[in-house]
Amino acid sequence: MTDNAAAYAAIDLGASSGRVLTGRLDGDVVTLTERHRFPNRPVRLPSGLHWNLLALLTESLESLRAAGPLRGIGVDTWGVDYALLDDRGRVLGLPFHYRDGRGAAMVAPCFARVPRDEQYAVAGIQTLPINTVFQLLADEGTAALGAASRLALVPDLLALWLSGELANERTNASTTGLLDARTGDWAADLVTRLGLPGRLFADLVDPGTLLGPALGAHGLGPVPVYAVASHDTASAFVAAPIRDEHAAILSSGTWSLLGVELAAPVLDDAARDANLTNERGIDGTTRLLKNVMGLWLEQECARAWGLDHAEIFAAAAAAPAGGPLFDPDAEAFLHPCDMPARIGEACVAAGQDAPTGVGPVARSILESLACKYRLVLERLERVSGRDIRCIHVIGGGARVELLCRLTADVTGREVLAGPVEATAMGNVLVQARAAGELGSLADIRHVVAASAQPTTFEPGGSRDAADELYRRFLDVTGLAAPATA
């Protein structure tokens, strides 16, 4: 294999940054090369907060043209957000950013039309104000929704712009709250009962579907464009080197998505009451998981302080343990804000002193995240019946040594950190399988295990101290432990 050999390109767009990587499969090993990394900067307009997708497309195309010969292109992004298209595939307005906040007012009206328990029994999605279904209801009465012929989630739209072919890929469609978790088809009856236009929902495809060659105008040649596992978490789960059913996966970045891979969804009352989500994975698998706020908290602090992430995590490591704690998932933290001040307010409201200074605030974030992970793991075990013995931390958070160590200590479970670029790796390997280079999901996981060596963090310190930290977290947040939920 040479550096000039044709490679698969992964356009991997996260909530805070985008990147283009290429990957080549050589026997049992895949090698990734980062071609370009760029910020993902939303824009605030009079209508609200929007994604600047044209800038992301431009950055991606420039790096694809410079990447050399390509065997395929796949796009993965975050979930829930979408564009409305007219009958000629033209975009009817810039897609909104999920942190715009417009969906929050539609949660109660949505459940008034179809009760939450009935929606969960079909779609199995946790209630978050950012969900697609709430955003679509916020579009009611607008000219855009009235004129729309199709809905394109963000990776669907970018794939359309690359190939000229529109299809809704199932893993991302499962984040909408409008996909039947059992069948993997649109939940037509639910769509009708909610009063949404049925014409928007059509043409679902699985990961690995060939959409067509890249459009000639892009100057890339007739490179195949594939629908991969286009929800970035689904691609990341593909590249989690799990060994058995006792593993949980923590996709750690702007969001922390913590869950287990199952053969079928769990749609019972216990899963609904735990507010777990059933998202579709590769080969019809289900990712039973919980969305936790994640490193967004630190990213907003970094913006407020004007510091880089390495400085912040170093300060956290030097700060005293056992500071104030808070629920990372409180709605007050969802939107852009002065995050250090907001965290301080939450701590004071819970009867604690506010953390002061970079190190104590950052340590408070990481200790609170580790405690929330333990709560989620206990709920996952209760709902799924799984005995979770290790946690695979994948994504950018795998680089944050203190968070990995705290997660091992607080949860009492082994943590295996890596691969960092799991999402791009999963994207590339799904393309390679579509091109005939790989077979089963087990084959893919074999390549992952041969290509990346995780860093191991064993639980350390006093179990009594870890249990006391967790008990204090439950006390100050008012969150019930699973045994008493």
Side-chain angles (χ1 to χ4, degrees):
M1 185 182 70
T2 69
D3 192 54
N4 292 324
Y8 300 97
I11 299 175
D12 175 23
L13 303 179
S16 59
S17 67
R19 59 207 66 84
V20 173
L21 295 94
T22 55
R24 297 181 176 89
L25 192 62
D26 183 16
D28 290 343
V29 175
V30 64
T31 303
L32 298 180
T33 302
E34 183 177 304
R35 299 295 179 173
H36 186 38
R37 185 175 293 261
F38 44 92
N40 184 356
R41 298 190 180 99
V43 290
R44 187 168 292 281
L45 301 175
S47 55
L49 189 65
H50 297 266
W51 296 105
N52 190 352
L53 296 186
L54 294 177
L56 298 179
L57 177 67
T58 299
E59 295 277 4
S60 299
L61 285 171
E62 288 179 355
S63 56
L64 290 174
R65 294 186 192 109
L70 298 175
R71 296 197 64 182
I73 303 169
V75 182
D76 67 76
T77 79
W78 59 95
V80 307
D81 290 331
Y82 60 88
L84 296 170
L85 308 181
D86 69 10
D87 58 4
R88 295 174 59 186
R90 297 176 299 189
V91 177
L92 300 169
L94 282 175
F96 280 90
H97 192 299
Y98 58 76
R99 295 193 195 275
D100 173 72
R102 67 198 184 110
M106 303 312 300
V107 176
C110 180
F111 291 149
R113 296 184 188 186
V114 180
R116 178 176 180 248
D117 59 345
E118 295 182 31
Q119 292 194 43
Y120 193 90
V122 176
I125 297 298
Q126 75 181 97
T127 300
L128 289 171
I130 66 176
N131 290 355
T132 310
V133 61
F134 305 136
Q135 294 196 57
L136 278 170
L137 291 176
D139 278 329
E140 279 191 324
T142 64
L145 188 62
S149 293
R150 286 292 304 276
L151 174 119
L153 292 153
V154 169
D156 302 333
L157 179 63
L158 291 166
L160 167 66
W161 287 345
L162 284 168
S163 70
E165 298 295 329
L166 173 62
N168 297 132
E169 189 278 317
R170 279 188 169 86
T171 69
N172 219 296
S174 72
T175 71
T176 63
L178 297 167
L179 193 80
D180 188 307
R182 290 187 176 89
T183 67
D185 296 322
W186 290 119
D189 182 63
L190 180 57
V191 168
T192 299
R193 292 177 65 193
L194 288 169
L196 295 170
R199 65 182 182 274
L200 300 181
F201 307 96
D203 298 334
L204 284 158
V205 299
D206 288 320
T209 299
L210 174 63
L211 297 175
L215 296 173
H218 295 318
L220 300 172
V223 181
V225 177
Y226 295 99
V228 294
S230 69
H231 187 208
D232 50 11
T233 309
S235 273
F237 268 52
V238 168
I242 57 176
R243 299 186 295 257
D244 54 40
E245 66 177 13
H246 300 296
I249 302 170
L250 172 57
S251 181
S252 178
T254 299
W255 288 88
S256 291
L257 298 107
L258 177 56
V260 292
E261 188 175 75
L262 303 175
V266 183
L267 304 172
D268 58 20
D269 292 350
R272 184 194 67 230
D273 292 344
N275 207 23
L276 298 177
T277 202
N278 292 268
E279 294 178 358
R280 201 153 182 97
I282 191 172
D283 294 351
T285 56
T286 292
R287 290 172 289 119
L288 181 70
L289 57 83
K290 175 82 169 178
N291 287 270
V292 178
M293 198 70 74
L295 292 174
W296 160 255
L297 300 163
E298 182 272 334
Q299 291 165 2
E300 279 293 275
C301 286
R303 185 171 64 87
W305 291 326
L307 297 176
D308 66 34
H309 304 300
E311 291 177 273
I312 293 170
F313 292 129
L325 301 167
F326 60 92
D327 181 6
D329 292 330
E331 193 168 337
F333 303 131
L334 182 60
H335 307 293
C337 63
D338 181 347
M339 191 63 73
R342 189 68 54 85
I343 288 170
E345 292 164 3
C347 292
V348 170
Q352 308 168 99
D353 292 334
T356 57
V358 172
V361 171
R363 182 105 191 184
S364 179
I365 291 171
L366 299 183
E367 290 187 348
S368 297
L369 284 173
C371 288
K372 191 61 180 279
Y373 297 159
R374 175 168 167 175
L375 179 63
V376 172
L377 284 170
E378 291 174 354
R379 289 178 172 171
L380 284 167
E381 286 186 321
R382 183 184 183 200
V383 168
S384 70
R386 291 281 180 90
D387 173 23
I388 298 173
R389 301 173 188 172
C390 74
I391 307 166
H392 288 272
V393 178
I394 54 179
R399 288 195 181 104
V400 184
E401 180 178 343
L402 178 57
L403 180 57
C404 293
R405 178 161 53 80
L406 286 170
T407 300
D409 292 347
V410 173
T411 67
R413 295 168 173 88
E414 179 185 56
V415 166
L416 300 171
V420 171
E421 295 295 351
T423 302
M425 184 178 289
N427 181 323
V428 163
L429 291 173
V430 168
Q431 293 184 63
R433 186 170 79 161
E437 292 197 66
L438 292 168
S440 67
L441 179 55
D443 293 335
I444 291 177
R445 293 262 165 79
H446 176 75
V447 170
V448 171
S451 304
Q453 184 60 48
T455 301
T456 301
F457 296 85
E458 297 290 351
S462 164
R463 289 310 312 152
D464 288 342
D467 291 342
E468 172 58 24
L469 182 72
Y470 183 53
R471 183 203 59 76
R472 185 162 61 84
F473 171 78
L474 297 177
D475 286 347
V476 299
T477 60
L479 295 170
T484 59

